[in-house]
Every structure is written in structure tokens, then in C-alpha cells.
Amino acid sequence: MSSYDSVQIQKVEIDDAKGLEFWSQNFDEKLAVPTSEFYKPMLKKFSKENQKVVNVLCKHIICCAGDSNKKDVSCVDFDKFLKRFGPFEECIRNSKKVFFTETKRTDGGLEYTLVPWYHGYLDDCKKKIVDNPDKFLVREPSKKTVWNLLTVEYSKTIKKDGKTLLARNKKYLEINRKKRLFVWYSRDGKKQGHPKIEVALREMTKKRPPIVSDMWTQVEDQSLYQAASFDDE
């Protein structure tokens, strides 16, 4: 049984006016659509953005899936994404800075790689933490309606009474959209903020390496996910 709260959707409600207009024009009053159906008008709308980035955001990030079993995007998912990274016209550019690393190729073009630490919704995060000592992950909060927080978890090895134990830590990273900051509390209780999420995570986890997500493996392993082609078929 999932530990995440279910969300009962009665009608399309998207706070961002442009986002609501986009949804209504392309999907009418549908409460959810397949990711493949959602992706096509998004790619058309954001045609100047990197195709891989739009594809991965639409098929993995916006629905917060974390795996390939979730095949649809709901209006609630879309509303949550826009609250985090909106306004609608800037949502791809804003979220790209969070979920992708950018490198320059020898031909002068830009290459985008999905970050390995984001796991989306996780039903059994405890197992991943225990199986990967002294590493961290970022997942969605248990309440699916919470848009301004991400959950950061890691384990640390401690010695007690001559025994080696594994302690599990859970923290929250706040997305302050207005100030474009990622906010957290340091060990001494002081509120900290930084515009780059990688800096915030480095400070929160004391430079621990990430637990690589299944999403990353699927996206970045070219034999499993043809990231270079991104066919619309």
C-alpha cells in the first residue's frame, strides 16, 4: 500500500492563468492525460527549448513518477509543477536549472543530463536509504498537494557500544518561488537560502554522494531510453 496521500480530482483547477488556458485548449476538461499526449503540445509550445529536457520533464518530472509505471499527468500534477517553477511561460527554463546539469560539447552545443538524486514519489524510501549508507536522495513529500517542499533523506553510520549502526535523517527543502531561493535550516537552527539547489543539497547532506534514481537510469542509459532521438511515436 502506498504511503502517499491520494488526491480526489473533481474538476480542472490550475492557478496559473496561462497554464489553465494551455490545458483547456489541448485537453478540454480532462482531469488527466497520458504522458505521450501531454508531451506533444508542450514540445510545440516550448519548441525553442531542448527536446530532451521537455521530454523528460513531461514524462517523468511533472507527474513526479520516479518510475515508468505512471503513464499519465493530472491537472493537479501540472498545477503543482507551475506553482514550483512558473509562471507557465518560464516553467521549462526554471525547472531545467533544477533537474538538469548543463555541459558544453566540443561542437559548441549544449548537453543536458538529468540529475541522479531526484526520485519522485517513493513508496519504500527506507529500503533505498538502508541499502545505500552515507548517500542521499530527494523525493516528493508524502502529501501530494504540498508544492513548496522537497524531502531530503540520507543515512549516516554511527558507532554505539562497539556496534556500527545506521541512522536515518530526513529534512525538508523549501522552494521559495517568489525569491527564487531554496531554503533549509542548518544544524544550529539558522535559516539558510541559495538560488542553486545543488549548493543547498551539498550543505544539507554534508557533501554526501547521491543515490542514483531508477528514473536517471532509464533516462540516461541510452540502451534503455533513446534520449538522443525522442520520437513522438
Side-chain angles (χ1 to χ4, degrees):
M1 183 179 293
S2 173
S3 60
Y4 288 90
D5 294 346
S6 61
V7 179
Q8 297 296 323
I9 309 172
Q10 302 297 329
K11 63 178 181 178
V12 175
E13 292 183 355
I14 298 172
D15 287 351
D16 187 292
K18 291 289 186 182
L20 177 60
E21 181 183 356
F22 171 84
W23 185 279
S24 300
Q25 287 179 348
N26 290 282
F27 314 121
D28 299 317
E29 293 301 312
K30 292 180 181 177
L31 301 178
V33 294
T35 53
S36 57
E37 184 179 336
F38 178 73
Y39 160 69
K40 292 178 181 179
M42 283 288 284
L43 182 62
K44 183 177 180 181
K45 172 64 181 178
F46 297 100
S47 58
K48 294 183 179 180
E49 291 287 350
N50 179 274
Q51 189 176 0
K52 173 184 175 180
V53 168
V54 178
N55 188 300
V56 174
L57 287 172
C58 290
K59 294 182 179 179
H60 297 274
I61 305 296
I62 296 177
C63 61
C64 304
D67 61 66
S68 58
N69 295 320
K70 190 173 187 296
K71 297 293 187 181
D72 62 351
V73 176
S74 71
C75 57
V76 172
D77 295 330
F78 191 46
D79 180 55
K80 181 176 180 177
F81 180 75
L82 294 179
K83 285 177 178 175
R84 283 179 173 175
F85 304 111
F88 175 63
E89 301 289 344
E90 301 173 20
C91 67
I92 300 297
R93 181 168 68 250
N94 292 338
S95 58
K96 178 173 64 178
K97 297 174 184 177
V98 174
F99 294 111
F100 293 86
T101 56
E102 181 183 286
T103 55
K104 198 169 185 177
R105 300 194 304 261
T106 54
D107 63 1
L110 296 175
E111 188 78 24
Y112 293 94
T113 305
L114 181 67
V115 295
W117 42 256
Y118 179 71
H119 290 247
Y121 292 120
L122 274 179
D123 288 330
D124 191 7
C125 57
K126 182 179 179 180
K127 186 177 187 306
K128 281 193 178 289
I129 294 295
V130 172
D131 290 347
N132 294 274
D134 295 307
K135 294 183 178 181
F136 82 95
L137 61 78
V138 178
R139 64 173 176 83
E140 291 296 323
S142 297
K143 291 186 177 180
K144 291 189 175 183
T145 53
V146 175
W147 66 267
N148 65 328
L149 294 178
L150 290 170
T151 303
V152 181
E153 291 200 58
Y154 64 87
S155 62
K156 61 180 180 180
T157 305
I158 60 175
K159 296 283 187 178
K160 186 177 182 180
D161 299 329
K163 298 180 180 179
T164 301
L165 304 175
L166 198 63
R168 181 182 172 193
N169 284 45
K170 180 169 70 174
K171 301 179 180 180
Y172 294 102
L173 181 63
E174 178 188 346
I175 302 171
N176 189 319
R177 174 180 158 182
K178 187 175 181 179
K179 294 183 178 180
R180 299 295 183 189
L181 290 176
F182 294 95
V183 180
W184 72 99
Y185 286 93
S186 61
R187 194 171 184 180
D188 58 6
K190 292 182 179 179
K191 200 171 187 178
Q192 308 287 329
H194 201 280
K196 292 185 178 180
I197 193 170
E198 60 268 25
V199 174
L201 292 174
R202 189 162 59 244
E203 292 294 320
M204 292 178 74
T205 65
K206 297 181 175 61
K207 301 181 180 180
R208 284 176 168 81
I211 300 173
V212 176
S213 69
D214 296 338
M215 185 191 310
W216 186 93
T217 301
Q218 185 182 10
V219 169
E220 298 302 336
D221 188 333
Q222 302 298 306
S223 65
L224 297 178
Y225 193 94
Q226 298 177 356
S229 60
F230 292 102
D231 295 332
D232 287 344
E233 301 177 357

